Structures are given as C-alpha cells and as structure tokens.
Amino acid sequence: MFRFDYHRATSLEDARAAFDAAEDGVFLAGGMTLIPTLKQRLAMPSDLVDLSGVEALRGITLEGDHVKIGAMVSHKDVAKSPNVRDAIPALAILAGDIGDPMVRARGTLGGSVANNDPAADYPGAVLGLGATIQTDRREILADDFFTAMFETALEDGELISSIRFPRPERAAYVKFHNPASRYAIAGVFVAQLGEKVRVAVTGAGPTVFRHREMEQALERTFAPDALEGIAVDAGPLNSDMHASADFRAHLVKVMAVRAVVQALK
C-alpha cells in the first residue's frame, strides 16, 4: 500500500472540501473494492476521504410510492429494513444475498453502484426498477447511469448521496452465483411497474443491461411461458474462467424464467 493522507468527513461539505483540496483524492465508502486495490498497490491516491461519518448519506425513508436509500446504507441494513421489506421485498432479498456477513456489514449501496462491478447485484436492481440516482450535483436516471465495465455517468468528484427506488407491482431477483465470492455469474432482476416490465441482467456482460425482447414479451403476458423461444445473444457476454459466454447466455434465460416465477408467488 502506498502512502496517502486520510480524512474522515463529518458532512457533505467537509467531504467536498477535503476532496477538492487533494491532488488526487478518492472517496471511501465501504471499501470492499478500494481497500484490496490499495493493498495490491493497484492505485495510488494522494488522499482518502472517508464518508462513514457523514450522517446525511444514511437513512431509509418512504417517499410516496418510492423508497429512498442513502448512499452509505450497508447491505445488511437494506436487507433488514422494514421499509424495504414491505415496499420492495426483492431488493431486501438481493441485499441479503450479497457476499458474506462481513461484506454485508461494511459494503454500501452507493459504493457498489458507483463502482459498477460487472458482477455486482445492486446494478441489476437499480436498472431493473428504473431507480433514480441522486448525486451532490444532479439526478441521473438508471438508464443513463451505467456506461461500461467499472464506468458510470458520474463525473470526476461527483458523489452519490441517495437512490430512489419506485415500488413495483411485483419484482424478483435470481442469480447463479460464484460459490466463493457469491458474485453473480448471471443474475436477472424482473420488475413490473404498471403496464411496463423491466428486465435487467447483471454478471453476464461487461456491464448491467436490459433485455428488451424479454420485457416486451412479459408486458404482453407476465408469465414464465412468455419467455419461450426468446434467445439470449452470447456475442457481447463475458467469457472467463468461471463461465463461457454461451453458458452465461443459457443462465440468463434460466434466471429470467425463475425470476418471473418468483415474482408471481
């Protein structure tokens, strides 16, 4: 690990001031990716701005037909939140199946979404529910947020403050996970919001994406049989030591069917 200066911010203004004053600063949320990266000397920031003391980035509240979750809320707290369990059970279940107890205790919603790991679970929920990402500068729709592997629409120094999730009529998330990391080799989040259906796929490709053909089929008939005959193109999918692109394409279809079945329960 290279030398850096550490700052524990106590407010958004404090965090912004520390970041702006740094030569090459980074924000620290849960640190599930950043800390291992630093330990392996794969990054060399001049300053680390710790957000764990910023209360404005915490909290889970109901706002009409939306659930607003602060960026620094842990996976564990999302999973256990009565508000989330009541309004969007699929999101609570997703959060409760991330990693292991240590990861769920330290990892945060905002950190995961900002990192945009291609195998992360939260991007599937954000895109699948059509959530809105609130930053310290603007609002960004989920469809505009995830741009490429480990890349998002966030500008340099832009900070996620909260994410607003609409309450769906029904939703479910099912993944085929790596047995060691519990990252998604392929995961599918299906949500019915009024007359619209959204199907988000994570883990299979370079970044989370929507499967439009499945969405159209489920808008006509929200049933697992509606997905019969729909093929998943393996061309743009990842192929690595964990699974080939062809196998991931197969998994996407299977996970989608299972998600619809789960959503109907």
Side-chain angles (χ1 to χ4, degrees), residues 11 28 37 46 72-73 111 229:
S11 67
L28 172 65
T37 300
S46 63
M72 287 298 291
V73 174

Side-chain angles (χ1 to χ4, degrees), residues 15 26 34 36 50 52 64 74 80 103 112 147 156-158 163 170 175 179 211 223:
V26 294
L34 180 57
D50 187 351
S52 62
S74 69
K80 293 184 175 181
V103 169
S112 176
T147 57
D156 185 44
E158 189 171 11
I163 300 179
R170 51 171 67 100
K175 69 176 176 179
H211 199 291

